[in-house]
Amino acid sequence: MSQAPSFAVISGEQVAAALHGRESQVIALVEAAYRTHGKGLTVNPDSCFLRFPDRPSSRIIALPASVKGGVNVHGIKWISSFPENVEAGVPRASAVLILNDPDTGYPFACLESSIISAARTAASAALAAGTLAGRRGLRPRRVGILGAGLIARYIHTYLTGSGLSFDEVGVFDLKREHAEGLREHLLSTSGGATVTVHDTAESLLTSSDLIVLATVAGEPHIFDPGLFAHHPLVLHISLRDLAPEIITASCNVVDDIDHCLKADTSPHLAEQRTGGRDFLDGTLFDVLEGRVGVPADRPVIFSPFGLGVLDMAVAKHVYDTVAESGELATVPGFFHEMRRYG
């Protein structure tokens, strides 16, 4: 190696500029990453959770991943979730992501990644909603959003950016002011749909045919299968909202079976309750490949654990976009000891 590799730092402002208004493109990137993963062309180890005995609601997660195909990069996302931040006026989640060269292993970029994480989560949700609704032959007209944070806002943006449109949008949050804040945002972005803040979660669930669960719940808080008697499509983004009896009464699609059935997610609790995995119908890749049918006479639940391969695909796209713009900021001398014997 004749010279030290370069190392770039990409800010949140640059990330946002690279992704803004490109929802359909990001959804396509995420779909390609799912297909690459489904074909065995990725390495996606278990996430590592750093937890704190004195702050049980907070955590920092490491998601390493490697993606071949058109992405061809290794990397890791380091993302924190500190729910108490919200009361202090600071976003709950913060993140950085490191990209590594597939040939040398050298890291070549550090990107602000809370936006990348939100975008890939929302793109995954929108891809699942469009694919599953299409397979059912039912177009959702009433969307209900439980949990009024940044992820909820991004998911709505990507749902509408994917071509879905709604007559009604419902919002519920344990903090009424958060629900009202999301409502104010949605009034300007919902394409004329009626936007309503619900007084109870039950009201929201029973009046929606597409349900977005985007909370910070650490354990199930929705127990009544009767709330889903109208067979909605559920995007179970926060993974721990639903009691096992709701999971086992539904058609269940996940992003990755082994990853999703860990860490006391609702599907993991259902596995513990039943002693098996027969309640799972397959993965989103299986649905995309036409291997799994999607019934219209049962609730359909998509539970994505959140794969690091999606973060890598979106991050590499951001890096390439910024590099092509000529605005890539590198750190001179970041790698210093480049001679083996001095």
Side-chain angles (χ1 to χ4, degrees):
M1 187 177 297
S2 59
Q3 62 181 24
S6 64
F7 185 79
V9 176
I10 298 177
S11 69
E13 182 179 10
Q14 290 175 301
V15 173
L19 297 178
H20 180 70
R22 297 178 173 89
E23 290 82 16
S24 60
Q25 185 177 3
V26 178
I27 292 169
L29 288 169
V30 165
E31 178 177 351
Y34 272 129
R35 292 185 183 275
T36 301
H37 183 67
K39 294 172 183 176
L41 298 175
T42 65
V43 180
N44 200 105
D46 288 344
S47 302
C48 177
F49 287 72
L50 178 62
R51 299 185 184 277
F52 314 98
D54 59 333
R55 299 188 65 159
S57 67
S58 299
R59 61 192 181 183
I60 309 179
I61 311 172
L63 290 85
S66 172
V67 189
K68 293 184 178 179
V71 178
N72 196 31
V73 77
H74 314 316
I76 188 167
K77 181 176 73 173
W78 180 240
I79 182 166
S80 68
S81 174
F82 279 52
E84 294 86 354
N85 286 353
V86 175
E87 295 304 316
V90 179
R92 171 187 62 85
S94 59
V96 294
L97 186 148
I98 300 293
L99 291 175
N100 293 74
D101 183 272
D103 296 322
T104 68
Y106 268 80
F108 62 87
C110 175
L111 300 87
E112 195 286 331
S113 197
S114 66
I115 297 170
I116 289 171
S117 192
R120 67 83 152 149
T121 300
S124 169
L127 174 66
T131 303
L132 295 170
R135 296 293 192 274
R136 297 178 98 190
L138 298 172
R139 186 177 181 85
R141 308 302 306 183
R142 302 171 299 163
V143 61
I145 302 171
L146 200 159
L150 180 141
I151 294 296
R153 170 165 65 85
Y154 265 77
I155 289 174
H156 181 269
T157 297
Y158 273 77
L159 287 172
T160 56
S162 72
L164 292 174
S165 60
F166 306 103
D167 299 325
E168 301 175 20
V169 180
V171 181
F172 175 79
D173 195 282
L174 291 175
K175 297 290 182 66
R176 178 87 184 194
E177 63 267 28
H178 296 165
E180 293 286 357
L182 181 59
R183 177 181 179 272
E184 288 301 312
H185 168 77
L186 295 178
L187 284 172
S188 63
T189 61
S190 59
T194 301
V195 184
T196 303
V197 173
H198 287 253
D199 293 326
T200 65
E202 291 77 12
S203 169
L204 177 103
L205 296 174
T206 56
S207 63
S208 305
D209 46 30
L210 173 62
I211 296 168
V212 178
L213 300 178
T215 74
V216 293
E219 59 186 21
H221 57 97
I222 301 172
F223 298 96
D224 182 5
L227 296 171
F228 303 88
H230 56 303
H231 312 313
L233 171 58
V234 182
L235 303 177
H236 187 202
I237 306 305
S238 34
L239 282 179
R240 295 172 178 84
D241 302 88
L242 302 175
E245 51 266 36
I246 295 173
I247 295 290
T248 55
S250 304
C251 168
N252 289 281
V253 177
V254 298
D255 54 357
D256 181 284
I257 293 173
D258 289 333
H259 284 275
C260 194
L261 271 66
K262 285 186 174 75
D264 289 334
T265 64
S266 294
H268 187 206
L269 295 179
E271 179 187 32
Q272 295 173 48
R273 174 78 62 86
T274 64
R277 298 180 171 184
D278 291 344
F279 62 89
L280 289 179
D281 292 79
T283 65
L284 183 56
F285 175 69
D286 293 328
V287 178
L288 289 167
E289 292 288 298
R291 299 172 186 165
V292 171
V294 185
D297 59 353
R298 280 192 295 158
V300 175
I301 301 174
F302 175 58
S303 299
F305 194 77
L307 300 176
V309 297
L310 306 184
D311 294 291
M312 299 309 128
V314 175
K316 182 57 164 52
H317 167 73
V318 170
Y319 175 87
D320 290 341
T321 300
V322 176
E324 290 168 6
S325 73
E327 297 179 357
L328 194 65
T330 59
V331 181
F334 186 84
F335 298 107
H336 179 63
E337 284 285 1
M338 299 305 298
R339 295 171 63 89
R340 191 171 192 180
Y341 300 111

